[in-house]
Amino acid sequence: MTAIDRLLGHNHASAAQLQPRHLDVMPALRIAIVTCMDSRLDVFSALGLIGGEAHIIRNAGGVVTDDVIRSLAISQRRLGTREIMLIHHTDCGMQLVSDDSFRAELQADTGMAPAFAIESFTDLDADVLQSIERVRRSPFIPHRDAVRGFVYDVDTCRLREVGQALGGAPA
Ligand SMILES: [Zn+2]
C-alpha cells in the first residue's frame, strides 16, 4: 500500500463522517500565510485555524518567490485578503543546501541548469526580513501595511516575531 492509498482511505473514512457544507471562497480572517512545506509545521493546529479562514501558500523554505507573489496578488485582488503572515522555522531543510552546490548537482545530473533560484539560506531571521522586504516592494500586492514575519520553533511549537512592515510600502 502506498502513502497515497493510505491517505485516500483516510479521506473516505473522514468524509463519511461529515455533513456536506459550502464555505465562502473568501478567507474569513482575510489573511494569507506564506510558509515552508516542512512536514512538522501543522499550520492549522499551530495557529488554531479552521477551514475557510486563511490562504496557506507553501514552498521549500517559505520563500517569497515570483510564484508566491502571484498567489498573494490573487489572494488580495480577487479573494479579499488584507494581512500577510510569513513563517520560517527552525531546523529547515533549506539550511542544509547551498545555492551553488545544489545548482551544480542539478546541472551535473541532468545536463541542464535550472531557470529558478534555489533560495537556500543560513540565517533564518535574515531570510524572514528578506521575505518581508520582497512583499513590501512588490507593486502587484496592493495591501502591504500589515506584513509580519515569524520563526516557528519545531520543537516548542512557539512562534517568535522577527519583523514587520507596518505603515505601508516604501516610498
Ligand atoms: Zn523548512
Side-chain angles (χ1 to χ4, degrees):
M1 186 191 244
T2 66
I4 291 175
D5 290 332
R6 181 182 163 142
L7 299 183
L8 283 172
H10 294 168
N11 174 256
H12 293 318
S14 68
Q17 308 287 322
L18 298 172
Q19 290 298 316
R21 87 260 202 256
H22 182 75
L23 300 173
D24 199 293
V25 67
M26 308 280 218
L29 296 180
R30 304 180 80 186
I31 186 169
I33 298 163
V34 180
T35 192
C36 184
M37 65 186 185
D38 194 276
S39 66
R40 298 161 296 180
L41 209 178
D42 179 341
V43 179
F44 283 81
S45 89
L47 302 177
L49 284 171
I50 58 173
E53 288 189 324
H55 282 151
I56 317 288
I57 303 161
R58 304 187 78 156
N59 64 24
V63 175
V64 177
T65 59
D66 281 350
D67 193 64
V68 167
I69 296 289
R70 178 186 71 89
S71 295
L72 289 172
I74 296 286
S75 178
Q76 291 200 352
R77 289 176 181 269
R78 289 293 181 277
L79 297 168
T81 65
R82 292 293 176 267
E83 293 180 63
I84 297 173
M85 189 173 188
L86 306 170
I87 306 175
H88 283 30
H89 66 92
T90 57
D91 193 32
C92 184
M94 292 304 286
Q95 294 171 294
L96 301 176
V97 298
S98 80
D99 282 32
D100 288 348
S101 66
F102 195 63
R103 176 172 293 277
E105 177 184 325
L106 294 178
Q107 186 158 17
D109 282 355
T110 67
M112 192 170 67
F116 50 82
I118 308 300
E119 304 266 22
S120 64
F121 49 81
T122 50
D123 184 330
L124 272 176
D125 287 25
D127 206 71
V128 171
L129 295 173
Q130 164 76 212
S131 298
I132 291 172
E133 202 55 30
R134 283 192 189 170
V135 170
R136 196 164 168 258
R137 292 186 189 203
S138 174
F140 304 119
I141 301 172
H143 305 283
R144 288 169 278 167
D145 55 348
V147 182
R148 294 169 65 178
F150 300 83
V151 170
Y152 176 83
D153 186 314
V154 295
D155 296 324
T156 66
C157 302
R158 289 184 186 279
L159 283 171
R160 173 172 60 81
E161 186 152 17
V162 173
Q164 53 185 298
L166 299 176

